[in-house]
Amino acid sequence: MSASPSDTAARPVTAVMPDVTGGNALRAQEQMDGTQARFEDVTGKDREVVDPQAWRVCGSRPGANRQITSYPVVLLVAPDTESCPGGASG
């Protein structure tokens, strides 16, 4: 007997967060391959990321190579003209 659609829907879909730290925010978003992701200004200045091409990824939630258990994932970004705070890559 095959599983009913409700049985398969009850199982959580999981994925692993790719390591996009240090990369371009737009390319990182593209690498997420349809995974819901949002940008967050890691500098604390709460700026909106209008052009992800001009930002770099300093980190993510969840961290690289960790299981994604909730959506959207968060890409912690800083403008290319600024350093990542706290010695983060980029």
Side-chain angles (χ1 to χ4, degrees), residues 2 14 16 18 26 28 43 61-62 64 67 73 75 82:
S2 64
T14 59
V16 175
L26 179 61
T43 66
R61 285 194 307 261
Q67 188 173 7
V73 298
L75 297 175
E82 299 177 24

Side-chain angles (χ1 to χ4, degrees), residues 7-88:
D7 289 342
T8 57
R11 294 187 193 121
V13 176
T14 59
V16 175
M17 182 69 189
D19 185 359
V20 294
T21 303
N24 175 271
L26 179 61
R27 286 192 292 272
Q29 187 178 38
E30 291 168 349
Q31 187 177 344
M32 297 301 298
D33 193 32
T35 299
Q36 288 180 318
R38 70 176 177 86
F39 296 113
E40 185 177 302
D41 183 350
V42 73
T43 66
K45 297 178 183 175
D46 201 29
R47 293 170 287 192
E48 184 178 353
V49 179
V50 177
D51 180 13
Q53 183 67 37
W55 292 69
R56 113 174 101 268
V57 180
C58 297
S60 62
R61 285 194 307 261
N65 303 311
R66 298 205 179 251
Q67 188 173 7
I68 298 171
T69 57
S70 64
Y71 297 94
V73 298
V74 179
L75 297 175
L76 304 167
V77 298
D80 282 339
T81 57
E82 299 177 24
S83 298
C84 290

